[in-house]
Amino acid sequence: MATLRFLAHYVRANLEVALAYRAAFAAKVFAMVVNDGIWVAFWWLFFERFPSVEGYGFRQIVLVWAIGTTAFGLSSGIAGGASTIAAKIASGDLDFYLVLPKPPVLHLVVSRMDPGGIGDALFGIATFAFLARPSAREAVAFAILVVIAASIIVAYAVATNSIAFWAGRADTIAEQAMFGLITFSTYPERLFSTPVKAVLYTVVPAGFVSFVPVALVQEWDWGWAAVLVGVAGGSLLGSKAIFDAGLRRYASGSILAMRG
Amino acid sequence: MTPRRRRGMLAHRARVIGAHAIVTLRDQGAYLGELALGGAILFVFLFVLSCLWTATFRAQESSLLGGLTLVQMTWYVTFTEALVMSRVNVARRIDEDIRTGNLAHALLRPGGYLTARFGAYLAERLVRFAFSLGFGSVVALALAGPVVIDPVAALGAIVATGLAFVLEFAIIAGIGLGAFWTEDTSSIYFLYTRVSLLLGGVLIPIELFPEGAAIVARALPFAPMIHGPARLALAPDGTGFLSVIASLVVSLTVVGTMMAVGYRSGLERLTVQGG
């Protein structure tokens, strides 16, 4: 509970900072909504011409995008700092977080909010409500599953960014890894062959971020739901373990800086 | 102005474009990391799109969609992706020059501000395009195999690509010049990249659009700029060349005029502060 209250305080503070520049905040949110809208428009064009591909129709792809954008939006909207860890490690900028009372990784991930993430999440929720036209059961499943998917995305960002502890500079690798996860998460699972799916359920966890949640929203399965919760919990603990292992190798940047 | 003086001015502008292009070409070596990131992104995109089109051809039980085979479709998206991924955000640079007042200093240099910007843009665009197309071709070759390219159609595609680069400069520079009037042009540029992705036929050829959407797409400059050169490169002969070139020339005339008018009226608003 204390951690949740801590997160809520950080989110509120980040939101207040972002809203200090309301026009810029609104522009970023709007830009992300347009970006997502263009992709859904592409799929609309596609399915107008080919109504069904590998059992997928427009409603299925809407679910893929609704869950994907909401989960990625929540992760970068609440924990946007996760994707900045590699750069902070490389510049020796972690010192500030090491002296704080809570675990440094927790401070790092919630230290920043990406307004584009808010746009993503708003788009995902609106798309789900208006284009997927869900039943009450689907809506409840959606609300739970996007939070679980978002936690897997945050864990993935922390793990890939932590490569910087060993590699020095890893922001480009982490950026590529996140781009790969986003791309694979926004296409239907059945497009990919078995070896590719094996990668998408392990190294690049698009399977757990998108494929399993989409299947669960359509048809609930307690077994797969338990697997998903287990994967999310394991990912969070695993990524924290990777970060902590890396942190033991970290050398201070000895930077003198003012923080407002 | 006498014809001789006009020829002299044009030759001078060409020299300015060339000089800025050479300097920019030399600079490109410093951005190899960025090119590598672009390569990884291109690989992921081409792989996923190849999976999508393979599944679509299988579902349709057809060997031809929109006049393209599966192999040609993979190469089509390779060409269109190379075209959009080689895009240079010259709008941001022009926006910065206007906002910081650098434009006033740049105007003092010989050859004209936009001419210099065009030279630098062209060099950077050519390097990025050569890399994207070269790397993309290797990926397409691995994913789908070789494609037959007609030499006349290829020549037409090269000419169309060149004109498309000029047209896109006029559009993007025009967006950057918007900084004379608006607070922030980056959101306009972002919107441009998204709309051109959809209406340029980057992911799906215009022939496969629903009829209404195809009419809209063909009326805008994005389709001749992206779909046009890519489709020409895969054509069995050069028959589509004239219509693509005509669309590009018309778009270039309209957009180029708008950019020139915007530039002139923008300069009248230029205020130099400090020294």
Side-chain angles (χ1 to χ4, degrees), chain B residues 116-246:
Chain B
R117 277 279 164 228
F118 178 65
Y121 157 86
L122 202 58
E124 194 172 343
R125 182 92 202 232
L126 286 173
V127 170
R128 283 168 179 254
F129 182 67
F131 173 80
S132 300
L133 190 60
F135 182 76
S137 298
V138 174
V139 177
L141 205 60
L143 292 172
V147 70
V148 178
I149 295 199
D150 177 70
V152 178
L155 198 65
I158 292 169
V159 175
T161 302
L163 265 178
F165 286 173
V166 180
L167 171 59
E168 188 150 54
F169 173 79
I171 295 174
I172 302 179
I175 293 171
L177 290 171
F180 279 120
W181 295 273
T182 64
E183 260 183 46
D184 177 32
T185 60
S186 63
S187 49
I188 304 171
Y189 176 74
F190 181 79
L191 277 179
Y192 162 72
T193 61
R194 300 297 97 181
V195 173
S196 64
L197 185 77
L198 184 71
L199 295 176
V202 176
L203 308 160
I204 178 168
I206 307 288
E207 290 83 357
L208 294 174
F209 276 29
E211 203 177 329
I215 292 170
V216 173
R218 286 186 202 284
L220 295 167
F222 314 119
M225 202 165 62
I226 300 167
H227 171 266
R231 203 64 181 80
L232 257 184
L234 297 165
D237 50 45
T239 45
F241 176 72
L242 282 179
S243 68
V244 172
I245 296 298

Side-chain angles (χ1 to χ4, degrees), chain A residues 11 15 82 98 111 139 149 171 175 186 188 195 197 229 235 252 256:
Chain A
V11 170
L15 195 60
L98 299 180
S111 63
D171 39 347
E175 201 179 319
T186 47
K197 279 183 196 165
V229 171
S235 304
S252 166
L256 286 176

Side-chain angles (χ1 to χ4, degrees), chain A residues 31 34-35 46 54 176 179, chain B residues 37 41 56 58 190-191 194:
Chain A
V34 170
N35 175 57
F46 185 87
E54 300 284 354
Q176 285 173 0
F179 173 80
Chain B
L37 174 65
I41 290 171
T56 309
R58 196 167 51 231
F190 181 79
L191 277 179
R194 300 297 97 181

